[in-house]
Amino acid sequence: MTRFRVIFPNLRCSYTRSFPSSWLGSSETHTRLSNRFFRRASHVTRGSPAVSGHLWNGNPDGTREVPDMFQFPDVRSFTKMIVGCVQTGRLDDALKLFNEMPVRDAICWNTMIKGCLDCGDLTTAEELFDEMPEPSVVSWTTMIDGFFRFGQVERAERFFKQMPIRDLAAWNAMLHGYCENVRVDDAVKLFEQMPSQNVISWTSMIGGLDQNGKSEEALIVFERMFKSGVVPNPTTLTCALSACANALSFPFGLQIHGHVFKSGFCLSVFVCASLITFYANCMRIEKATQVFNEAVYRNVVICTALLTGYGSNGRHEDGLKAFSDMMRTSVLPNQSSFVSSLNSCCSLESVDRGKEVHASAIKLQLGSDVFVGNSLVVMYNKCGAVDDAVVVFKRLREKNIVTWNATICGCAQHGRGMWAMELFSQMIRGLVQPDEITLTGLLSSCSHSGMLQKGRCLFKYFSENTSIGLTHEHYACMVDVLGRCGKLEEAEDLIRNMPLKTNSIVWLALLSSCKMHSNLDLAERAANYILDLEPHCSAAYVLLSNFYASANRWGDVSRLRMTMRDKGIVKQPGRSWVTIKGQKHLFLSGDKSHPLSENIYWKLDWLKMKLKELGYVPDKRFSLHDVEDEQKEDSLFYHSERLAVAFALITTVEGSTITIMKNLRICGDCHSAIKLIAKIVDREIIVRDSSRFHHFRDGICSCGDYWCMRLFLLHEPVSILSLLIVLSIDTSGAELHEHYPIWAYFYC
Ligand SMILES: [Zn+2]
Ligand SMILES: [Zn+2]
């Protein structure tokens, strides 16, 4: 700033008025100009371009220095300084300047009112409006816009009615305000009443309808606009293309693309980005890539559109490549780019790629942004790294309901029930209103961690004390909580007395609990209900058939298999996969197709020997085929999850964590074997099956060993270790477990 003081102390020239303000963009230019022109004479407007210069340089602070250099700043200079203060959020300084002004014109008043609204101070804006000698139509419109921004629709309507003269801008402000406040029907009514419509009115209407889920109607309005002879601008085309993308209206979009091409609007980044999104949504990703390649100018909006398009077309590898290309070409990603690329990492189940994206987010100081943070929590949870998800959660400065829900549901899936409860209590203490997803997460953590009493209390509390409507998912979760803890009759009563019409989801929850507790009568009853409601439910057939197989009722098994065949129901084969260095390796039971098959089977035989040394006896009830004992043992040993574990053991660094994914539930015998394998190789093995994550370490699983629980309930011999495991449920949550006051209420 001192440079300005040196250059301009005796500034005396009115020529500055005619210079473009960008000339004043650097101190060097200032020097040159001052040397050549600013020799003598003065004029009151001389400060004004200097103010502009500071603003152009993104240095509104500099505007503070400017008033010192002239004694009588004019209204224009003052107005510019007010704009500068408002842009940096210094409303008090702006108001001080405004009050110091000897004379004010309408532009200055309107600038100050808008400044108050931009800084979130509606009350002061209203006071200024009341004090204003003669509010112009612009002042009225600014206030209307302000009321809509603060969600005060009724007051905006009242102002609009009171307006002495209404110009098109005022009508457009009303239209835009209605659309922004989800009052699209009122917007349509107003649009029809308007004395005339310009391109802004049409664009607001098209965009408003599209954003409020009425994309088809938006396209009808666009057609009407075209017929009425109004020429669309790039914003109109962007809105119309977005409507085509949402309504999946491919032919319409193609026509708009033709118009874009003819009118030359393909140079606009927003039009280009909308075209990419449109083609991607219509599953024409190649065409989207072509639009991207042909774009003259590529910025973050266009790159993110392509990145998101790849994600929605299941081309996650390409999406991540587009993300790294973006970084390479110095296009700085924004929140949306990070959210899309993290979603791709999530779909690829690749925690390593996710960590790379996380590192980039930290470098660009977006690591603690709430939207990026939410995606990080989801990514880490889905890739099996619940501890990392919790660390990200803790570091987030701002958290919204999505953050809380994502973390609670993640803890539930990983069997960290106590963490989920503690998070819920923190959420309540922080006055964050829980929603239906929070309840689903909490109930599933109760079910995965065997917390019967808490589950009951939560269900009662939410149904009696909150306005959250209980859904089938909530009932299914509650049935699961009761069922897993052996309260099968109570679970059946809950289903029979539920106010909603029962569906197959709730009965399936009961059926799988029956299997766990070997209650064949109830299982058959539940299966009958399911098959009445949904005759082709393969899950019910498979569960019941497995049930019969483990009870050695092979006649019933073949009867069920015949029925399945007659009805054309196909049992999904069990598949496990592991991602190593970005490549997914898939295994089926007894699979020998992998190039490293020989090494995998050698490793499995070695593990078999080690397991026998530890006293492991295969539980043949989990081999669901009517074959000889030895064959049963063999088929058990080559289940897909074990092949994946063996493969991961021979291809990864010693001591690193192994993450296996499985499409069905892990079988009980594999569960026992992998626990011991984790102990033998001294590594953490994470298995995500169709219901949850199992973290195996030191011979223990984080799920609290429901398979052991099952043996215990069957009154079969149970080892001391198994009993200890049952009792050790959730001691892993000790870190987050210190403060527990609110739970006094739920403990009953
Ligand atoms: Zn198995
Ligand atoms: Zn487990």
Side-chain angles (χ1 to χ4, degrees):
M1 294 317 98
T2 48
R3 280 201 301 268
F4 278 83
R5 287 177 189 281
V6 174
I7 296 162
F8 289 111
N10 300 309
L11 198 145
R12 301 278 183 270
C13 188
S14 60
Y15 293 126
T16 45
R17 271 177 151 189
S18 56
F19 298 145
S21 45
S22 56
W23 278 29
L24 299 167
S26 69
S27 57
E28 195 195 328
T29 327
H30 275 297
T31 321
R32 227 174 37 238
L33 293 175
S34 63
N35 288 343
R36 286 177 59 189
F37 301 109
F38 306 158
R39 301 284 181 215
R40 53 196 174 81
S42 79
H43 194 282
V44 283
T45 59
R46 66 187 177 269
S48 182
V51 173
S52 302
H54 281 302
L55 294 176
W56 272 71
N57 281 332
N59 176 27
D61 278 1
T63 56
R64 276 183 157 184
E65 315 289 335
V66 178
D68 299 345
M69 68 195 195
F70 50 89
Q71 281 177 315
F72 308 107
D74 68 347
V75 177
R76 215 175 120 204
S77 311
F78 261 119
T79 311
K80 282 190 179 173
M81 284 188 283
I82 288 171
V83 171
C85 291
V86 167
Q87 277 176 355
T88 44
R90 293 200 312 255
L91 183 61
D92 289 343
D93 288 346
L95 284 168
K96 204 168 143 225
L97 278 168
F98 182 74
N99 291 329
E100 280 170 8
M101 285 178 78
V103 190
R104 298 165 190 153
D105 63 2
I107 298 175
C108 185
W109 276 97
N110 292 337
T111 307
M112 196 59 248
I113 293 174
K114 188 171 178 303
C116 292
L117 294 170
D118 288 346
C119 291
D121 190 347
L122 180 63
T123 320
T124 314
E126 269 187 277
E127 281 168 15
L128 286 170
F129 180 82
D130 292 339
E131 282 171 28
M132 196 172 166
E134 273 176 40
S136 67
V137 66
V138 179
S139 329
W140 283 90
T141 311
T142 309
M143 280 313 292
I144 289 174
D145 195 44
F147 286 128
F148 275 121
R149 254 197 263 174
F150 288 84
Q152 300 191 6
V153 181
E154 281 70 30
R155 294 190 71 190
E157 283 172 334
R158 220 176 306 138
F159 253 63
F160 184 66
K161 277 186 194 139
Q162 286 169 3
M163 269 182 93
I165 310 161
R166 293 175 200 154
D167 65 355
L168 195 51
W171 283 92
N172 285 344
M174 281 301 287
L175 198 61
H176 181 73
Y178 275 138
C179 292
E180 289 292 299
N181 284 275
V182 205
R183 296 266 295 260
V184 71
D185 292 337
D186 290 319
V188 173
K189 226 181 280 167
L190 190 90
F191 183 75
E192 301 303 339
Q193 289 168 7
M194 281 173 84
S196 67
Q197 293 114 341
N198 64 1
V199 66
I200 298 173
S201 336
W202 287 99
T203 308
S204 296
M205 204 58 253
I206 296 164
L209 283 167
D210 179 41
Q211 278 163 21
N212 287 282
K214 297 188 172 184
S215 305
E216 307 266 358
E217 289 167 43
L219 291 177
I220 296 170
V221 174
F222 181 69
E223 227 175 338
R224 265 178 65 197
M225 172 187 170
F226 231 86
K227 282 180 186 156
S228 71
V230 178
V231 182
N233 63 18
T235 316
T236 325
L237 293 170
T238 306
C239 293
L241 280 168
S242 156
C244 291
N246 292 333
L248 301 178
S249 174
F250 188 64
F252 211 117
L254 269 186
Q255 287 179 44
I256 299 176
H257 191 176
H259 181 80
V260 166
F261 193 75
K262 270 192 278 176
S263 57
F265 288 140
C266 42
L267 293 174
S268 153
V269 281
F270 291 104
V271 173
C272 251
S274 309
L275 273 171
I276 293 172
T277 307
F278 156 70
Y279 282 118
N281 277 18
C282 294
M283 304 322 251
R284 306 287 208 286
I285 191 67
E286 301 306 335
K287 192 83 185 134
T289 315
Q290 195 186 333
V291 173
F292 177 80
N293 290 335
E294 286 169 3
V296 180
Y297 174 62
R298 287 176 200 163
N299 71 349
V300 61
V301 180
I302 293 192
C303 293
T304 307
L306 185 73
L307 187 61
T308 315
Y310 277 132
S312 60
N313 280 262
R315 303 248 308 248
H316 302 293
E317 285 289 353
D318 289 323
L320 288 178
K321 193 179 167 295
F323 181 75
S324 47
D325 284 349
M326 204 173 158
M327 299 284 284
R328 208 162 34 81
T329 51
S330 304
V331 177
L332 288 188
N334 61 14
Q335 285 102 326
S336 308
S337 334
F338 278 108
V339 169
S340 296
S341 48
L342 285 168
N343 285 347
S344 290
C345 298
C346 210
S347 304
L348 291 171
E349 290 153 355
S350 169
V351 74
D352 296 335
R353 309 288 285 275
K355 279 182 179 168
E356 282 169 24
V357 178
H358 189 180
S360 310
I362 292 170
K363 268 189 229 160
L364 294 173
Q365 298 183 337
L366 284 170
S368 51
D369 172 82
V370 65
F371 296 105
V372 179
N374 290 350
S375 301
L376 281 169
V377 169
V378 172
M379 185 274 295
Y380 278 123
N381 274 332
K382 289 214 171 155
C383 294
V386 64
D387 298 332
D388 291 327
V390 172
V391 171
V392 171
F393 172 83
K394 280 183 184 171
R395 286 187 185 161
L396 284 181
R397 280 191 299 272
E398 187 196 337
K399 299 176 177 82
N400 60 18
I401 182 73
V402 181
T403 327
W404 289 98
N405 285 347
T407 319
I408 289 176
C409 292
C411 289
Q413 270 204 312
H414 288 270
R416 305 286 206 269
M418 283 299 188
W419 290 16
M421 294 305 146
E422 172 55 22
L423 285 168
F424 177 59
S425 76
Q426 284 180 13
M427 188 176 169
I428 300 289
R429 282 201 296 267
L431 302 178
V432 182
Q433 202 63 33
D435 65 6
E436 56 275 8
I437 301 170
T438 323
L439 177 60
T440 310
L442 290 169
L443 288 177
S444 73
S445 25
C446 292
S447 125
H448 288 315
S449 303
M451 300 188 293
L452 176 64
Q453 272 308 77
K454 278 179 203 156
R456 278 180 180 146
C457 293
L458 276 167
F459 192 77
K460 193 163 177 274
Y461 173 77
F462 271 84
S463 52
E464 288 173 2
N465 300 312
T466 64
S467 57
I468 295 167
L470 296 183
T471 61
H472 284 102
E473 281 72 29
H474 294 139
Y475 277 94
C477 286
M478 193 58 215
V479 167
D480 209 33
V481 173
L482 294 167
R484 279 178 187 235
C485 296
K487 305 286 175 197
L488 295 175
E489 282 172 20
E490 194 180 335
E492 196 186 357
D493 281 349
L494 181 74
I495 297 178
R496 290 190 187 283
N497 297 322
M498 65 189 263
L500 305 168
K501 196 171 177 290
T502 52
N503 67 1
S504 55
I505 299 172
V506 280
W507 283 111
L508 264 175
L510 185 64
L511 177 56
S512 69
S513 303
C514 290
K515 181 163 187 304
M516 198 177 290
H517 297 285
S518 303
N519 188 333
L520 190 54
D521 286 348
L522 188 52
E524 283 178 323
R525 210 153 59 229
N528 284 337
Y529 277 114
I530 298 166
L531 296 175
D532 276 350
L533 292 162
E534 207 185 309
H536 284 80
C537 178
S538 62
Y541 279 108
V542 172
L543 271 169
L544 199 60
S545 145
N546 289 354
F547 208 148
Y548 286 138
S550 54
N552 280 326
R553 283 172 57 171
W554 299 106
D556 289 315
V557 174
S558 51
R559 181 177 55 80
L560 271 184
R561 285 187 185 165
M562 292 259 280
T563 322
M564 281 171 83
R565 205 171 35 236
D566 293 347
K567 290 191 175 180
I569 301 164
V570 186
K571 184 185 166 188
Q572 214 186 354
R575 282 194 304 263
S576 300
W577 59 95
V578 56
T579 309
I580 309 277
K581 288 181 185 155
Q583 215 188 330
K584 191 166 156 181
H585 301 263
L586 190 86
F587 297 92
L588 294 165
S589 187
D591 199 346
K592 286 191 176 167
S593 62
H594 196 277
L596 290 179
S597 198
E598 213 172 295
N599 303 34
I600 295 169
Y601 279 81
W602 179 86
K603 188 76 182 175
L604 276 178
D605 289 340
W606 178 80
L607 283 171
K608 195 173 177 181
M609 189 185 74
K610 287 279 171 192
L611 282 170
K612 282 203 170 142
E613 278 172 25
L614 279 176
Y616 158 79
V617 183
D619 188 340
K620 289 170 196 126
R621 283 165 312 165
F622 291 105
S623 174
L624 305 172
H625 301 281
D626 189 11
V627 286
E628 291 304 312
D629 270 11
E630 203 171 312
Q631 274 175 289
K632 269 188 186 180
E633 195 178 318
D634 272 354
S635 74
L636 272 178
F637 223 84
Y638 303 127
H639 275 178
S640 63
E641 51 268 57
R642 295 198 207 189
L643 291 173
V645 167
F647 171 70
L649 284 175
I650 58 173
T651 49
T652 53
V653 187
E654 248 180 65
S656 59
T657 303
I658 294 171
T659 309
I660 309 287
M661 309 284 174
K662 189 178 178 184
N663 63 335
L664 305 176
R665 283 276 299 275
I666 182 173
C667 90
D669 188 61
C670 285
H671 193 268
S672 316
I674 296 174
K675 263 191 320 184
L676 293 172
I677 292 172
K679 195 176 169 61
I680 293 165
V681 296
D682 192 22
R683 285 166 80 159
E684 183 175 7
I685 302 175
I686 302 170
V687 179
R688 193 217 66 193
D689 68 3
S690 60
S691 80
R692 60 172 295 149
F693 280 87
H694 300 262
H695 293 250
F696 298 95
R697 186 163 207 114
D698 292 333
I700 293 173
C701 178
S702 65
C703 73
D705 259 1
Y706 278 104
W707 299 114
C708 293
M709 180 89 92
R710 177 180 170 277
L711 293 175
F712 181 55
L713 289 162
L714 284 171
H715 306 290
E716 284 178 12
V718 58
S719 68
I720 296 293
L721 177 67
S722 302
L723 266 178
L724 282 174
I725 292 163
V726 174
L727 296 172
S728 74
I729 299 174
D730 266 324
T731 45
S732 50
E735 192 208 339
L736 272 165
H737 193 188
E738 291 158 19
H739 311 289
Y740 233 61
I742 196 159
W743 277 101
Y745 176 78
F746 287 111
Y747 277 128
C748 299

